[in-house]
Amino acid sequence: MTVTSAPIITSLLDNDLYKFTMLQAMLHQFPQTHGVYRFRCRNNSEAVYPLADIKESLEQQLDMLCELRFLEDELEYLRGLRFIRSDFVDYLELFKLKRRFITVSTDSKGRLLIDIEGPMIQAMFFEVFVLAIVNELYFNALSSPSVIEEGQRRLDDKVALLHQYAKQQSTDKPPFIVADFGTRRRFSKSWQAHVVETLHKAEPKIVSGTSNVYLAKQLGMTPIGTMAHEFMQAFQALDVRLRDSQKAALESWVHEYRGDLGIALTDVVGMDAFLRDFDLYFAKLFDGLRHDSGDPYIWGDKAIAHYQKLKIDPKTKILTFSDGLTLEKAWELHQYFKERIRTSFGIGTNLTNDMGITPINIVLKLVECNGQPVAKLSDSPGKTMINNDTYLAYLRQVFEVDEPE
């Protein structure tokens, strides 16, 4: 495999917003927390060639990534976000990823192995960069004029679909809102920029936001994001009872952001267990909930019923959907829920890597924190990732989550 010499990541701002928001909270409240992350390709058998082939190029890209620093105009942009504190930007001015915290290897089956271990205020910031690099290196070998042509054809279809949805929107109903969540699974950095700019220009009232902070800055869009699973998971190993870990994570978030970034992630131990902890206090403090696994219709109905049980008008809240969406699926969900609750949608792979080639489903997940195992009991069983079955069984018992069928 040819080694790619040009850096793929050229700005530390080329990252999802929730990496910044989680990093700020960890730095302020738990700066000594230690984390271990593991890489996995969920559909390794569908890869056109072994991911092990990109190892040498990946090593080189990581070397270059760890030389980057935030530029002055990037720091000023971050200072302009009201939920980013000035002392955190001062920290970022000195920030540099340390190469010693990430290692790359391969196994006999041609699988790529990536391990990150170190302080979470370093380790957690690698994830999106690494996934974007792996994706771009993999697809570099598969790219061709015909692939780009097919990608453009599909993008044109999305533009036509957005125009159609814009015409159907009623002025007296909650708006149909879509954000780009595709940095980690993008075909390439340049293709993501092309897709997001094209869709935003076509229907700026629908596609108004992106999770990518660099693109938000460049295109004048709204940066979107709050928390990811790793933030909630970390509390399973911090100084609280395991049963209280979700409440502690939500409380920590409220303490940090004081009403900003009020979308809570629900599927770290499953929706039912989450709702048992999401009492009137949290339901009033948070603006809404984010779906990332399981049946979105069942999940949304449960969320609405929960708000109603707490005597909260669901129309004052918002549900954000972000699991394997297409524009068509998002529109169908919007139609189903719009009379009862506001909705928004984060679409990843189908926006930034819809090229006619099977995408690789890659993740880089927190598996240990402070020397203890942590896990996500996803509402989609295939998303659970842990190397400790004993802990997984204990987690299920504590949160009363049944084994998946």
Side-chain angles (χ1 to χ4, degrees):
M1 184 63 61
T2 303
V3 176
T4 304
S5 57
I8 290 172
I9 305 298
T10 57
S11 167
L12 290 178
L13 219 57
D14 185 15
N15 204 338
D16 285 339
L17 180 65
Y18 67 19
K19 284 295 173 178
F20 291 89
T21 56
M22 291 188 297
L23 182 59
Q24 177 174 277
M26 294 301 292
L27 179 68
H28 285 156
Q29 300 178 43
F30 308 99
Q32 295 179 311
T33 303
H34 185 274
V36 177
Y37 292 75
R38 296 275 186 268
F39 172 86
R40 186 171 81 182
C41 180
R42 290 171 174 158
N43 61 342
N44 203 67
S45 62
E46 297 180 53
V48 177
Y49 62 89
L51 288 181
D53 289 1
I54 68 171
K55 177 182 180 297
E56 188 179 353
S57 293
L58 176 58
E59 296 266 23
Q60 186 187 51
Q61 289 292 332
L62 292 175
D63 291 342
M64 291 186 284
L65 172 67
C66 291
E67 292 300 316
L68 291 176
R69 290 185 181 272
F70 285 98
L71 303 179
E72 190 57 40
D73 69 307
E74 296 173 338
L75 295 169
E76 286 306 307
Y77 175 79
L78 292 171
R79 287 186 198 279
L81 302 177
R82 77 175 188 185
F83 47 81
I84 297 295
R85 297 190 194 177
S86 60
D87 69 313
F88 178 56
V89 181
D90 293 340
Y91 168 75
L92 293 181
E93 188 171 8
L94 305 172
F95 184 83
K96 189 177 180 181
L97 286 165
K98 302 297 189 294
R99 184 67 171 84
R100 68 179 181 273
F101 295 133
I102 182 167
T103 58
V104 181
S105 59
T106 60
D107 66 11
S108 59
K109 296 181 179 179
R111 290 180 296 202
L112 185 67
L113 308 177
I114 304 172
D115 297 282
I116 302 170
E117 182 170 356
M120 279 192 69
I121 55 174
Q122 270 275 323
M124 72 189 313
F125 212 62
F126 273 105
E127 180 198 2
V128 176
F129 294 133
V130 172
L131 295 177
I133 290 170
V134 168
N135 237 49
E136 186 151 350
L137 290 175
Y138 173 79
F139 284 104
N140 270 344
L142 305 179
S143 184
S144 68
S146 62
V147 168
I148 300 300
E149 184 179 334
E150 175 62 17
Q152 185 62 50
R153 186 191 68 77
R154 294 178 180 220
L155 179 57
D156 292 341
D157 287 345
K158 291 180 176 65
V159 169
L161 206 55
L162 286 175
H163 289 326
Q164 177 184 324
Y165 294 154
K167 290 179 182 178
Q168 292 180 43
Q169 284 212 82
S170 174
T171 56
D172 61 347
K173 294 291 188 287
F176 178 54
I177 301 172
V178 172
D180 154 53
F181 277 17
T183 302
R184 66 187 56 226
R185 305 258 176 84
R186 64 194 183 191
F187 181 76
S188 70
K189 180 174 66 175
S190 61
W191 185 255
Q192 180 188 20
H194 172 61
V195 168
V196 175
E197 183 174 16
T198 298
L199 297 178
H200 177 59
K201 284 185 175 180
E203 289 295 344
K205 291 183 179 180
I206 295 179
V207 185
S208 58
T210 172
S211 63
N212 187 293
V213 184
Y214 180 82
L215 287 179
K217 175 180 179 292
Q218 294 299 108
L219 300 175
M221 298 174 69
T222 303
I224 303 292
T226 53
M227 67 182 76
H229 300 94
E230 63 192 296
F231 183 80
M232 302 283 284
Q233 284 177 246
F235 282 80
Q236 296 172 16
L238 295 178
D239 193 21
V240 296
R241 285 195 319 158
L242 180 59
R243 182 63 189 83
D244 297 328
S245 59
Q246 287 195 117
K247 293 179 181 178
L250 295 173
E251 190 72 63
S252 168
W253 196 262
V254 169
H255 175 74
E256 184 69 28
Y257 291 108
R258 316 297 297 179
D260 268 322
L261 307 175
I263 303 296
L265 184 60
T266 66
D267 71 329
V268 174
V269 290
M271 181 60 162
D272 293 339
F274 175 85
L275 292 179
R276 286 195 289 271
D277 288 340
F278 198 68
D279 58 12
L280 182 62
Y281 172 74
F282 289 122
K284 285 188 172 183
L285 287 176
F286 281 85
D287 298 321
L289 306 173
R290 177 160 79 91
H291 170 267
D292 199 50
S293 64
D295 186 304
Y297 294 94
I298 294 174
W299 176 89
D301 285 338
K302 284 182 178 180
I304 291 170
H306 187 70
Y307 282 126
Q308 291 171 332
K309 179 182 175 182
L310 296 174
K311 302 294 191 288
I312 293 175
D313 182 359
K315 290 183 178 180
T316 65
K317 300 297 180 179
I318 187 167
L319 300 182
T320 297
F321 297 84
S322 61
D323 181 32
L325 293 177
T326 62
L327 285 173
E328 294 91 338
K329 287 181 184 177
W331 179 254
E332 288 170 6
L333 285 164
H334 176 65
Q335 295 304 302
Y336 181 78
F337 287 111
K338 68 180 183 180
E339 302 289 347
R340 296 179 288 158
I341 196 166
R342 291 178 295 146
T343 60
S344 67
F345 303 90
I347 305 181
T349 307
N350 186 258
L351 290 190
T352 62
N353 202 347
D354 187 16
M355 314 295 288
I357 304 173
T358 301
I360 47 174
N361 188 349
I362 52 177
V363 294
L364 192 52
K365 295 294 185 184
L366 181 70
V367 295
E368 288 183 24
C369 184
N370 288 344
Q372 300 179 44
V374 296
K376 177 178 77 165
L377 293 177
S378 172
D379 287 316
S380 298
K383 287 190 171 185
T384 299
M385 182 174 171
I386 189 175
N387 298 325
N388 189 318
D389 291 337
T390 301
Y391 176 74
L392 195 62
Y394 177 55
L395 191 63
R396 291 188 187 283
Q397 179 184 0
V398 167
F399 283 98
E400 302 172 35
V401 179
D402 295 332
E403 285 271 4
E405 294 181 6

